[in-house]
Amino acid sequence: STGPRRSSSPAKGGAAAKASKTAAAAKTGLRSKKPRTVRKSTSCSDAGKKAAPAKGGAAAKASKTAAAAKTGLRSKKPRTVRKSTSFNRPKTLKLTRKPAYPRLSAPKVNKMDQFQIIKYPLTTESAMKKIEDNNTLVFIVDVRSNKRQISQAVKKMYDIVCARVNTLVRPDGVKKAYVRLTQDFDALDVANKIGII
């Protein structure tokens, strides 16, 4: 064949380079670490900026250490001396209520009106004697009512003014009221108007 022959010199050169590389690896060790390149900033302004906080931090640390040395690491807080046995909670701000809607749909009705207080007048013999002799009307009233409520109820219902009201609760649990009228009003006339007599 008259074709061009390949030169064997590159193969020889490659084998020699490989052998020298293996020898160098045997000397230094197979897993030798490469030295890391550390990049440093060369600008003067950056160096000044980084150095400034370090100085301030050192000064703050030194002052903190000096304060700790003076007071001590475990310094005790001053205890409050309590001279009374009772403890009252501190008064805090109390705002007035502003409800968004009324809690009751309708206002509460007063159940103890004059019709509830005075039930009926008594027409017994002793009651009639009181009307004639003492100018006094006798009524059976609600047990929960008091003397002031009874006098107001009588004034509203019969347009008379009471001089005095005496009450008692009978053994059967009913309350009886002796309403004495003023001298301006006559009990007999009021009894006639009511329809007792």
Side-chain angles (χ1 to χ4, degrees):
S1 67
T2 57
R5 291 184 181 180
R6 289 181 183 177
S7 60
S8 60
S9 57
K12 284 181 183 178
K18 198 173 183 181
S20 63
K21 200 173 184 181
T22 310
K27 279 184 182 180
T28 57
L30 291 171
R31 294 179 184 176
S32 61
K33 290 181 181 178
K34 291 180 181 180
R36 290 184 179 178
T37 55
V38 180
R39 293 180 181 177
K40 292 182 180 179
S41 60
T42 54
S43 61
C44 297
S45 59
D46 293 343
K49 281 179 186 175
K50 285 182 181 176
K55 284 181 183 177
K61 197 173 184 182
S63 63
K64 198 174 182 181
T65 310
K70 276 186 183 179
T71 55
L73 291 171
R74 295 179 184 176
S75 59
K76 289 183 180 178
K77 290 180 181 178
R79 285 188 178 181
T80 54
V81 180
R82 301 192 183 278
K83 295 180 181 179
S84 64
T85 54
S86 59
F87 175 76
N88 297 320
R89 279 170 53 246
K91 290 182 180 179
T92 54
L93 180 67
K94 290 182 180 178
L95 298 171
T96 55
R97 292 189 176 186
K98 294 175 183 176
Y101 65 94
R103 295 300 185 269
L104 296 172
S105 59
K108 199 172 183 181
V109 180
N110 184 22
K111 292 180 180 178
M112 291 291 287
D113 57 347
Q114 67 265 29
F115 306 107
Q116 178 66 32
I117 291 166
I118 296 172
K119 293 189 174 180
Y120 54 90
L122 266 182
T123 56
T124 56
E125 287 183 12
S126 61
M128 291 299 166
K129 197 174 183 182
K130 288 274 182 188
I131 290 167
E132 291 167 4
D133 298 345
N134 300 332
N135 198 29
T136 303
L137 295 169
V138 185
F139 294 100
I140 297 297
V141 295
D142 197 284
V143 180
R144 297 167 293 176
S145 60
N146 53 31
K147 291 179 181 180
R148 191 178 288 111
Q149 288 174 336
I150 292 164
S151 66
Q152 286 174 358
V154 167
K155 190 178 180 180
K156 281 180 183 178
M157 284 190 75
Y158 306 116
D159 295 324
I160 52 176
V161 181
C162 305
R164 188 171 181 175
V165 177
N166 291 337
T167 56
L168 63 89
V169 178
R170 298 193 313 199
D172 59 350
V174 178
K175 196 170 198 175
K176 186 161 60 170
Y178 295 95
V179 180
R180 189 171 187 176
L181 307 181
T182 56
Q183 291 179 357
D184 301 333
F185 299 94
D186 187 22
L188 276 168
D189 294 341
V190 175
N192 284 326
K193 197 184 287 183
I194 292 168
I196 297 171
I197 298 171

